[in-house]
């Protein structure tokens, strides 16, 4: 395989990792600490990720338990979760916060699946941008003969097709998980 195709493959794998990271933030009906990844709490004046100021555990399949390292942060955690678009009401239990994950309605599941497809489209755009960048680099590189250029372009296209198929597979698995009750 051409060296440019290898480099393009590495960048496309990073695009797939970003897609996986985005998909972990989506609700699936089960409690997961990853669904709180985007939430930042006002911690002594600076926004800090929730998982850095509290431990998050899953005592039951539809429940999250957030135990702040400093019990004075409970109010800030509750306000940050309420301000987020999770749609979950936190319950203050003194020195910890309990989140009860409600069962998803069919309409909400469809909305979440649409969000997953949006993440898929963003990943595909990133993959195509990588392909375009490396195709442009190949056209500029004078060390390639016409046959070598064609072979290198074919390699880059194959890597692109593989990355796109992998992204489709990842999102279809996530959609199955979202749509299952």
């Amino acid at each position: 395989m051409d060296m440019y195709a290898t480099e393009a493959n590495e960048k496309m794998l990073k695009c797939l990792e970003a897609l996986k990271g985005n998909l972990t933030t989506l609700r699936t009906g089960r409690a997961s600490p990853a669904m709180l990844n985007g939430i930042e709490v006002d911690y002594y004046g600076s926004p800090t990720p929730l998982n850095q100021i509290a431990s998050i555990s899953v005592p039951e399949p539809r429940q999250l338990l957030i135990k702040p390292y400093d019990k004075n942060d409970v109010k800030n955690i509750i306000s940050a979760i309420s301000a987020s678009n999770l749609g979950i009401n936190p319950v203050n239990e003194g020195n910890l916060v309990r989140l009860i994950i409600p069962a998803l309605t069919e309409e909400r599941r469809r909305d979440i699946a649409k969000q997953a497809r949006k993440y898929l489209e963003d990943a595909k755009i990133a993959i195509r941008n990588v392909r375009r960048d490396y195709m442009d680099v190949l056209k500029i590189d004078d060390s390639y003969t016409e046959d070598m250029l064609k072979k290198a372009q074919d390699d880059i296209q194959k890597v692109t097709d593989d990355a796109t198929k992998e992204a489709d597979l990842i999102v279809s698995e996530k959609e199955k998980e979202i749509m299952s009750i």
Side-chain angles (χ1 to χ4, degrees):
M1 189 183 289
D2 187 67
M3 71 172 186
Y4 289 127
T6 306
E7 288 177 24
N9 188 34
E10 289 173 12
K11 288 192 177 183
M12 289 177 191
L13 288 176
K14 288 181 184 175
C15 294
L16 292 175
E17 289 302 314
L19 172 65
K20 289 177 187 174
N22 286 337
L23 291 176
T24 60
T25 63
L26 296 177
R27 280 183 53 191
T28 60
R30 274 185 245 117
S32 165
M35 60 195 283
L36 302 176
N37 282 352
I39 297 178
E40 292 192 340
V41 179
D42 182 33
Y43 186 68
Y44 296 108
S46 66
T48 307
L50 177 60
N51 60 2
Q52 291 183 9
I53 64 167
S55 66
I56 303 169
S57 61
V58 185
E60 295 177 22
R62 292 192 183 270
Q63 212 175 85
L64 287 175
L65 202 59
I66 304 168
K67 185 168 177 139
Y69 301 129
D70 181 1
K71 66 180 181 178
N72 297 326
D73 294 330
V74 170
K75 288 181 183 173
N76 290 341
I77 290 172
I78 289 174
S79 64
I81 292 171
S82 297
S84 72
N85 63 350
L86 279 180
I88 301 171
N89 291 326
V91 178
N92 184 348
E93 295 187 352
N95 57 352
L96 49 91
V97 178
R98 187 176 305 272
L99 295 177
I100 299 170
I101 313 298
L104 295 173
T105 62
E106 187 68 25
E107 182 180 335
R108 183 70 179 130
R109 288 180 193 279
R110 284 193 196 109
D111 289 343
I112 294 171
K114 282 182 189 174
Q115 185 67 38
R117 285 191 293 276
K118 183 185 177 305
Y119 288 148
L120 170 65
E121 195 53 43
D122 292 345
K124 284 183 176 181
I125 289 169
I127 289 168
R128 288 191 300 262
N129 286 341
V130 170
R131 179 191 63 194
R132 185 197 63 228
D133 292 345
Y134 278 94
M135 291 291 197
D136 291 346
V137 168
L138 279 174
K139 291 175 186 171
I140 295 171
D141 195 338
D142 293 335
S143 66
Y144 281 82
T145 64
E146 198 171 310
D147 291 340
M148 289 172 60
L149 179 66
K150 178 70 173 140
K151 170 84 170 90
Q153 288 175 334
D154 288 346
D155 286 348
I156 290 174
Q157 185 60 47
K158 182 184 180 322
V159 166
T160 303
D161 293 342
D162 291 347
T164 304
K165 285 178 190 168
E166 180 68 21
D168 285 332
L169 187 71
I170 291 168
V171 171
S172 70
E173 288 293 317
K174 187 66 172 186
E175 282 181 331
K176 284 179 192 170
E177 184 180 337
I178 291 168
M179 297 309 283
S180 68
I181 294 176

